[in-house]
Amino acid sequence: MSERAALPDLDTLNPEALKSLIVAQHEQLLSKEEQLASRDEEIERLKLLIAKLRRMQFGRKSEKLDWQIEQLELKLDELQASRAQQLAAPMAASVVNRAAKRGRQPLPAHLPRETHRVLPQQEACPDCGGALKPLGEDVSEMLEYVPEHFKVIRQVRPKLACACCDKIVQAAAPSRPIERGMAGPGLLAHVLVSKYADHLPLYRQAEIYARDGVELDRSTMAEWIGGCSRLLQPLVEALRRHVMSAAKLHADDTPVPVLAPGNGKTKTGRLWTYVRDDRPWGDRTPPAVWFAYTPDRKGEHPKAHLSEFTGTLQADAYAGYDAIYEDGRVKEAACMAHVRRSFYDLYEAHKSAVAKEALERIAALYAIEEEIRGRSAEERREIRTARSRPLLESLKEWFDETLGKLSTKSDTTKAIRYALKRWDELLRFCDDGHLEIDNNAAERSLRAVVLGRKNYLFAGSDAGGARAAAIYGLIGTAKLNGLNAEEYLREVLSRIADHPINRIEELLPWNLAAELTDSSRRAA
């Protein structure tokens, strides 16, 4: 599934043009190798620094020292994953070949072996039709992970020779998710899900695997993540197209601390989530979530993300969305949960009677939403018009009346004014049964990010943030469609290297759901 830039017709080029083309390609390759060499030097520097800190740590533990080591480990993971992703590019093929020549330790002898014989399709010599006889075989091994244990898959490819002529027949080597890599799709899926869904950094995974007698170097797993990220990119793009073709989206963002290059400190990047989920009004279009990473929170980013979207955006009151609403192509629907949250905080802090009444009034609206979930859009609109709108009109009257009794600088006043400023947008769900009362669909999609952020403390680079966004989207979409994320990624990684890129949509979660469900039933 590699994407290569088309070469010009070499037969039409004069000698000077050919020379210029060769020089340009050579300079580009040298530039790529210089970047890789610089990154390799940084990786070695980090390894030495981590080793030094660990020696300092021996004897007397320091929480600050533990934190420093943890952060350097994470930065090292990101650099090695970025290196692997760059090595996967066609321009760096020569560098990949050199790296492949390095020796590799044999896979642990204590692991169970499962032998797969890969026989050639030919039953007779393709040249003369003569009978084939054994000539030898090629054997390769691949480390695989199935739930709860490792195993080694031995791929045996017998060589057959024609008894009548010198023709030799052998099946082609089965493709692997990462070319020349020792990891099977199940192991790759497990590493990805452990990191991005179970919030286990790679160095912690390495410690866990070592307890099973499998020594997996953290740098090796980082290279796997970089390779998987590149391999899955066309699928992530197909996911984005599906999400952006919706008529209604939920959007939100969350901060992600990212290591700033050069100074060892952190900056704040953002992960944006865009959720398509119309199941609450009975639509059967598959739900999906697409994530995007940006190095800051400028409004130009959601504007770029939503450049192809036309419809209603359910989001918070972030000012960066304002430019998106200006031309009317995208309509705004506000979030009642944000209104409720302010009053909830006030009640928790002060047991305010005003906050309590606001919460009770809003709870009545949510009770109606619970009752009509799953009904048709038209039926939801009719019920909201008859029952929710009168409650909202009463709530606004009460807000207006209560404001006159409060200090202009009180927190309760701020909470009420927040709601009144967005009142038309808050009422929009009453006029359209396709919309929701709040933006909780987007907030739910960010839970894994928030938990991961607590464990990671930061992403190692902007490239690491982009990789995280891609994997979060695939894992989140698998979960929305009721799939086991690890089973889904295992299936995708077992197919994608040989899958036609013009049919990449076939690998989206809902298109594999039936197969994965049947497979799980057979396994049970």
Side-chain angles (χ1 to χ4, degrees), residues 202-221:
L202 297 182
Y203 68 90
R204 293 182 188 166
Q205 291 189 50
E207 294 170 354
I208 293 170
Y209 302 148
R211 292 200 294 267
D212 286 336
V214 179
E215 299 291 339
L216 287 180
D217 191 75
R218 185 186 60 247
S219 64
T220 300
M221 289 188 286

Side-chain angles (χ1 to χ4, degrees), residues 91-251:
M91 281 300 298
S94 62
V95 184
V96 174
N97 291 335
R98 287 201 298 273
K101 293 178 182 177
R102 294 196 296 266
R104 178 188 294 162
Q105 294 296 319
L107 295 173
H110 72 276
L111 295 179
R113 256 66 178 172
E114 181 178 301
T115 299
H116 293 183
R117 295 184 65 81
V118 186
L119 296 173
Q121 295 181 348
Q122 301 91 336
E123 296 181 356
C125 177
D127 287 354
C128 69
L132 296 174
K133 60 181 181 180
L135 180 66
E137 60 188 21
D138 289 336
V139 179
S140 61
E141 292 191 335
M142 178 171 64
L143 183 64
E144 183 59 296
Y145 180 88
V146 294
E148 305 305 329
H149 71 274
F150 288 96
K151 67 179 179 181
V152 175
I153 294 178
R154 301 179 73 246
Q155 294 179 337
V156 179
R157 297 184 296 123
K159 293 180 181 179
L160 304 177
C162 178
C164 303
C165 67
D166 294 331
K167 181 70 175 180
I168 296 175
V169 174
Q170 185 182 34
S175 63
R176 301 188 180 204
I178 298 176
E179 190 175 358
R180 290 181 291 275
M182 72 170 180
L187 177 56
L188 294 173
H190 183 68
V191 169
L192 290 172
V193 170
S194 295
K195 179 176 171 72
Y196 295 107
D198 298 334
H199 328 301
L200 286 173
L202 297 182
Y203 68 90
R204 293 182 188 166
Q205 291 189 50
E207 294 170 354
I208 293 170
Y209 302 148
R211 292 200 294 267
D212 286 336
V214 179
E215 299 291 339
L216 287 180
D217 191 75
R218 185 186 60 247
S219 64
T220 300
M221 289 188 286
E223 290 174 358
W224 293 347
I225 287 180
C228 287
S229 177
R230 179 175 174 80
L231 190 64
L232 293 169
Q233 194 53 49
L235 185 60
V236 175
E237 173 58 21
L239 180 64
R240 184 196 69 80
R241 291 195 299 267
H242 173 78
V243 170
M244 291 300 160
S245 65
K248 180 261 293 180
L249 285 181
H250 296 269

Side-chain angles (χ1 to χ4, degrees), residues 313-315 332-336 422 425-426 436-439:
L313 184 69
Q314 298 214 250
E332 177 184 7
C335 174
M336 186 63 73
R422 296 160 182 82
E425 290 74 21
L426 283 169
E436 301 305 312
I437 190 173
D438 57 33
N439 195 37

